[in-house]
C-alpha cells in the first residue's frame, strides 16, 4: 500500500529536549516536505527536499532542521524545542511531474512542548 | 502576496448541498486543489482543476473556477455525515521544477441530521 508514515503520532516533551520526528514514504517520490498545522492558519511549510541531499527552507524554518540521506526518509529535527513549536506536523511527498500539488500526506504528529 | 482565503465554518443538513468557497491570489496558478482532512487524519487530495477549465465534476463533487475573480468553489451534492471534515483550498506557486503549495486556513464542514 502506497503510504507516508510518521512516528511518533503523539509526543509530549519539555523545552530544550532534542527530538526527531521520522517520515518515510514507499512511493519512490523525489519530493518530500514538512508542514505544521495551526488553528486558523492552515498548513505552513517548514522545509522541503527536491531529492537526496537537496533540502531548502519553507516559510517557517526557524527552530527546525531536516536531512535527506535516503530517498524514502525525511526526518524533522527540533534541536531545542520551545512551546511555540507545539503544533500538528505533517510530512508529505509527491512525484516530480504535474500536478505538483498532488501530495500524499502522512497521518500527522501532534507535538506538545511544555 | 500569497494568500488563499476561505471561510472557517459551514453547517449543512444531511442531504442538502454544501458549497465551500475560496479566493486565491496568483492568477498564474496552473492547478487549484481541494484537500479533505478527516478527524485525526492527514490531508487527502479530493480533486483538482486545471486553470484552463471552468468546471470539473466527479460524482458528487463539482468544482467551479472563476479565473477573472480568482474564485474557486467546491460543491458537494447530497451531503452525508461522512463528509464532515475540514476542506482546504490550495494553489501552487512558482516554477522551474519547484511549485510551492499554498493552503487556505480550511473550512470545517459540519453535517447535521
Amino acid at each position: 500500500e502506497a503510504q507516508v508514515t510518521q512516528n511518533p503520532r503523539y509526543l509530549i516533551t519539555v523545552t530544550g529536549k532534542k527530538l526527531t520526528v521520522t517520515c518515510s514514504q514507499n512511493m519512490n517520490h523525489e519530493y518530500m516536505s514538512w508542514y505544521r498545522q495551526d488553528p486558523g492558519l492552515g498548513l505552513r511549510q517548514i522545509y522541503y527536499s527536491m531529492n537526496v541531499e537537496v533540502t531548502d527552507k519553507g516559510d517557517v524554518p526557524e527552530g527546525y532542521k531536516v536531512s535527506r540521506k535516503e530517498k524514502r526518509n525525511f526526518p524533522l529535527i527540533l534541536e531545542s524545542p520551545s512551546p511555540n513549536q507545539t503544533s500538528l506536523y505533517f510530512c508529505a511527498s509527491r512525484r516530480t511531474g504535474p500536478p505538483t500539488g498532488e501530495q500524499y500526506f502522512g497521518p500527522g504528529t501532534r507535538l506538545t512542548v511544555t | 502576496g500569497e494568500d488563499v482565503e476561505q471561510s472557517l465554518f459551514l453547517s449543512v443538513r444531511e442531504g442538502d448541498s454544501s458549497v465551500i468557497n475560496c479566493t486565491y491570489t496568483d492568477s498564474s496558478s496552473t492547478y487549484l486543489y481541494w484537500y479533505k482532512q478527516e478527524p485525526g487524519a492527514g490531508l487527502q487530495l479530493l480533486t483538482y482543476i486545471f486553470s484552463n477549465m471552468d468546471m470539473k465534476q466527479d460524482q458528487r463533487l463539482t468544482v467551479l473556477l472563476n479565473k477573472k475573480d480568482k474564485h474557486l468553489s467546491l460543491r458537494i451534492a447530497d451531503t452525508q455525515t461522512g463528509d464532515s471534515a475540514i476542506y482546504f483550498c490550495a494553489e501552487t506557486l512558482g516554477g522551474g521544477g519547484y511549485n510551492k503549495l499554498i493552503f487556505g486556513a480550511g473550512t470545517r464542514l459540519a453535517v447535521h441530521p
Side-chain angles (χ1 to χ4, degrees):
Chain A
E1 180 191 354
Q3 60 182 349
V4 178
T5 56
Q6 294 178 227
N7 282 291
R9 293 290 313 278
Y10 303 91
L11 180 59
I12 301 173
T13 189
V14 296
T15 300
K17 187 176 180 181
K18 181 180 178 180
L19 66 92
T20 298
V21 184
T22 64
C23 172
S24 183
Q25 52 94 5
N26 62 1
M27 294 168 279
N28 201 36
H29 287 165
E30 287 82 15
Y31 177 94
M32 297 185 75
S33 181
W34 276 102
Y35 297 88
R36 60 177 289 172
Q37 182 182 12
D38 300 290
L41 297 177
L43 276 79
R44 295 178 292 167
Q45 190 180 58
I46 303 169
Y47 268 94
Y48 66 94
S49 170
M50 297 291 287
N51 215 323
V52 176
E53 302 291 2
V54 181
T55 63
D56 209 344
K57 296 177 181 178
D59 294 317
V60 289
E62 294 77 22
Y64 304 95
K65 284 175 57 177
V66 293
S67 69
R68 188 89 182 273
K69 293 183 170 54
E70 305 165 280
K71 198 172 187 178
R72 62 184 293 123
N73 296 322
F74 190 44
L76 179 69
I77 303 154
L78 284 73
E79 294 270 3
S80 182
S82 62
N84 64 11
Q85 292 178 299
T86 292
S87 187
L88 180 57
Y89 291 86
F90 290 101
C91 179
S93 72
R94 65 164 171 85
R95 57 189 174 91
T96 304
T100 54
E102 185 178 5
Q103 299 196 13
Y104 295 81
F105 283 81
T109 295
R110 186 167 291 281
L111 172 66
T112 302
V113 184
T114 61
Chain B
E2 310 166 349
D3 204 6
V4 177
E5 295 188 353
Q6 27 179 157
S7 54
L8 294 182
F9 299 101
L10 177 65
S11 178
V12 300
R13 186 168 299 182
E14 191 173 11
D16 288 350
S17 292
S18 307
V19 179
I20 302 172
N21 294 302
C22 166
T23 57
Y24 60 97
T25 55
D26 191 344
S27 57
S28 66
S29 292
T30 308
Y31 293 93
L32 293 138
Y33 305 83
W34 284 104
Y35 276 84
K36 177 182 181 182
Q37 183 182 27
E38 296 183 353
L43 280 71
Q44 183 178 18
L45 181 64
L46 203 55
T47 187
Y48 63 89
I49 187 167
F50 191 51
S51 59
N52 68 353
M53 298 170 64
D54 297 325
M55 183 181 84
K56 179 179 180 181
Q57 188 150 6
D58 184 2
Q59 298 182 339
R60 292 190 297 121
L61 305 178
T62 303
V63 179
L64 295 178
L65 175 60
N66 181 329
K67 286 195 69 176
K68 175 177 170 291
D69 294 337
K70 297 179 191 170
H71 183 266
L72 183 72
S73 68
L74 174 70
R75 179 177 181 270
I76 305 173
D78 186 25
T79 312
Q80 303 297 308
T81 54
D83 295 322
S84 294
I86 302 176
Y87 291 82
F88 291 92
C89 171
E91 63 174 339
T92 45
L93 304 178
Y98 169 62
N99 297 96
K100 181 178 175 181
L101 193 58
I102 305 295
F103 288 91
T107 299
R108 184 179 294 274
L109 174 65
V111 182
H112 56 88

